[in-house]
Amino acid sequence: MKPIIRAENLSKQYRIGAARDASDTLREALAETLRSPFKGLRARRNADLKIWALRNINFEVMPGEVVGIIGHNGAGKSTLFKILARVTEPTGGRAELYGKVSSLLEVGTGFHPELTGRENVFLNGSILGMSRGEILRKFDEIVAFAEIEKFLDTPVKRYSSGMYMRLAFAVAAHLEPEILLVDEVLAVGDAAFQKKCLGKLGDAAREGRTVLFISHNMTAIQSMCKRVLWLSNGEIVEEAEPGSVVSDYLRAGAIVSTERIWNEIGTAPGNKKVRLHRACVRPVGGSPTDDMTIQTPLVLEFDYWNLEPGAHLSLSVHVYSEQGIVAFETFPVREPVWHGKPFPVGLFRSACYIPGGLLNDGVHRIALFLVKDQAQVLFTLNDAITFNVLDSVERRGNWHGKCTGVVRPDLEWETERLDEEAAPTLS
């Protein structure tokens, strides 16, 4: 089968510093020079600075494949898509695409604020390559998908940002190309609408369309894609199945911090009611610098100053996997001494014990919520601590793949023979 997308030594170089527009008049140029006499010198110096947004990119995509593109901001992902969408030309190499291409690079490009939602559906649909007949045929479906029926004849300048983006995505999502380029459009709307967007992209994949998908949502990347490219500094770092690439990417970007201490109460996280002094994860009986495996019992410790006499305090701890999924959350409802009692002013320590044989391997993040009266969140620290759980050779046995799941509990099994007679023979 012939690839539907092929990139060969694809490269893109940019020059730092904006060049003067050729349409500037002499008067404008002189005025600008007088306003900033050294700006021209800086611009000339910057004109010599060049960066490679992409360098020697090579890959192929087969018809019907869904391929994810991941990488930090500035890695070259959007530049790659702009070349594939023919928005910009490469500096070197070539990109071949066989089939009708539609791109969701900047959702809402082409909307006119003075026009109504109805008028913008036709305008934006035409810009994206849909015929008037195609727009008419899909109009009701687009409006229903965007959930803005009551405001359809209102100028979009009066829309909230969420309504505007929902309508824009709805138009773009109802294209019918052979190749669909999707650049981080899942920041659109609330969680329910994001789920609907993912479903629409999934429908496109099931219908046999080829989808290239940029996202920072690792859960969406792993659920939708069969293959992932990891870009860094304009080059492909890794190309493989999603679980492996996402895991390596998150590990590379994670900053492990198993203990954090704030000695100055005035600058410690918190507010006038409570301040955090220390957050720590360590093996039971060990130190924060010791290795932690999937079999290691762990203790989470949080030291905090209570600054309000008589406050009823408790903690809520969320443990996130390296995919950003909540593995579990826990509260001190079974704490035997202080739970439900008023706290005097002072320094307290709350500890939570995690048994060995529960967490999967990978980098984990702890989000801490300090709560008053079991209802009022006093403050939140989303990255209180991060720690790496290592795999265990003893638990792995002969299995050499990556175990799935946010947890990896060491559960007890037993097997017994139910039939004491000889095994029946198959005729």
Side-chain angles (χ1 to χ4, degrees):
M1 184 182 295
K2 183 179 179 181
I4 194 169
I5 301 174
R6 177 187 287 120
E8 296 180 352
N9 297 318
L10 204 58
S11 301
K12 180 65 178 180
Q13 187 182 68
Y14 287 108
R15 178 177 295 167
I16 297 177
R20 184 177 300 282
D21 194 304
S23 63
D24 285 353
T25 65
L26 177 60
R27 183 177 62 183
E28 290 168 339
L30 290 172
E32 182 65 22
T33 301
L34 290 173
R35 279 196 298 268
S36 182
F38 299 106
K39 184 176 180 180
L41 177 59
R42 288 197 302 268
R44 286 193 295 274
R45 288 175 177 171
N46 285 339
D48 296 329
L49 298 178
K50 299 176 182 179
I51 60 169
W52 288 96
L54 293 176
R55 182 167 244 169
N56 298 326
I57 298 294
N58 294 278
F59 66 90
E60 293 182 347
V61 180
M62 304 306 291
E65 253 195 306
V66 181
V67 178
I69 313 288
I70 64 174
H72 58 78
N73 291 333
K77 306 183 300 296
S78 295
T79 300
L80 173 62
F81 269 27
K82 287 177 181 178
I83 292 175
L84 296 178
R86 301 294 190 260
V87 173
T88 187
E89 291 290 326
T91 305
R94 59 187 295 169
E96 300 175 357
L97 293 89
Y98 303 93
K100 182 180 177 182
V101 181
S102 288
S103 55
L104 281 67
L105 303 184
E106 296 180 9
V107 176
T109 299
F111 267 33
H112 194 293
E114 299 295 336
L115 299 181
T116 65
R118 182 188 304 274
E119 291 165 335
N120 269 298
V121 168
F122 283 90
L123 174 63
N124 196 235
S126 299
I127 291 172
L128 293 173
M130 300 170 70
S131 67
R132 181 174 178 81
E134 190 178 4
I135 297 172
L136 285 169
R137 180 164 51 87
K138 297 181 178 180
F139 184 83
D140 291 341
E141 187 180 350
I142 291 171
V143 173
F145 188 92
E147 303 170 0
I148 51 99
E149 292 93 335
K150 292 190 297 184
F151 309 98
L152 188 58
D153 294 306
T154 301
V156 298
K157 68 180 181 181
R158 306 193 192 284
Y159 284 13
S160 68
S161 59
M163 292 167 59
Y164 182 96
M165 296 301 286
R166 287 205 307 271
L167 181 59
F169 181 88
V171 176
H174 285 80
L175 301 170
E176 294 183 349
E178 285 89 5
I179 301 171
L180 183 59
L181 308 177
V182 184
D183 187 355
E184 193 59 274
V185 295
L186 295 178
V188 176
D190 54 24
F193 192 79
Q194 290 179 24
K195 185 176 180 180
K196 188 193 289 191
C197 294
L198 274 174
K200 191 65 179 177
L201 296 179
D203 291 343
R206 283 187 291 274
E207 291 167 4
R209 299 194 184 106
T210 303
V211 180
L212 265 65
F213 179 42
I214 290 176
S215 182
H216 292 286
N217 184 329
M218 296 300 111
T219 303
I221 285 285
Q222 292 186 96
S223 64
M224 286 187 58
C225 304
K226 299 299 182 185
R227 184 161 55 99
V228 175
L229 304 179
W230 170 13
L231 290 183
S232 180
N233 297 319
E235 299 180 348
I236 295 179
V237 176
E238 188 175 351
E239 177 182 356
E241 58 87 20
S244 173
V245 179
V246 168
S247 179
D248 291 344
Y249 168 68
L250 292 172
R251 280 193 177 102
I255 300 174
V256 174
S257 178
T258 55
E259 184 178 35
R260 301 176 68 189
I261 299 175
W262 298 268
N263 287 317
E264 297 295 330
I265 191 170
T267 57
N271 49 45
K272 63 182 181 180
K273 296 181 179 180
V274 64
R275 296 275 183 177
L276 187 62
H277 172 50
R278 174 176 171 267
C280 168
V281 58
R282 59 178 177 83
V284 174
S287 73
T289 59
D290 293 341
D291 285 342
M292 300 171 233
T293 75
I294 58 174
Q295 293 180 301
T296 305
L298 304 176
V299 57
L300 304 174
E301 294 176 335
F302 304 99
D303 301 355
Y304 49 97
W305 289 285
N306 176 46
L307 306 175
E308 184 181 37
H312 291 76
L313 297 181
S314 64
L315 277 67
S316 173
V317 172
H318 292 195
V319 180
Y320 288 83
S321 73
E322 63 183 11
Q323 285 78 28
I325 302 170
V326 178
F328 62 87
E329 58 180 309
T330 181
F331 317 90
V333 292
R334 294 169 56 191
E335 194 278 320
V337 179
W338 285 99
H339 177 65
K341 296 181 180 179
F343 281 52
V345 172
L347 181 63
F348 290 82
R349 171 174 293 173
S350 294
C352 170
Y353 294 88
I354 301 176
L358 175 64
L359 295 177
N360 206 344
D361 61 300
V363 176
H364 292 73
R365 174 174 62 87
I366 300 296
L368 174 66
F369 301 79
L370 265 160
V371 183
K372 177 183 176 182
D373 299 329
Q374 300 186 39
Q376 179 187 356
V377 177
L378 297 179
F379 87 91
T380 303
L381 190 61
N382 284 316
D383 56 347
I385 43 180
T386 56
F387 60 100
N388 190 19
V389 177
L390 305 174
D391 203 352
S392 168
V393 176
E394 293 79 9
R395 278 282 306 276
R396 177 173 289 279
N398 293 325
W399 167 249
H400 298 288
K402 167 71 176 177
C403 293
T404 59
V406 293
V407 294
R408 192 171 163 184
D410 190 4
L411 305 178
E412 292 188 7
W413 284 61
E414 64 177 28
T415 302
E416 60 179 317
R417 183 176 177 179
L418 300 178
D419 184 1
E420 297 292 339
E421 299 178 1
T425 59
L426 298 177
S427 57

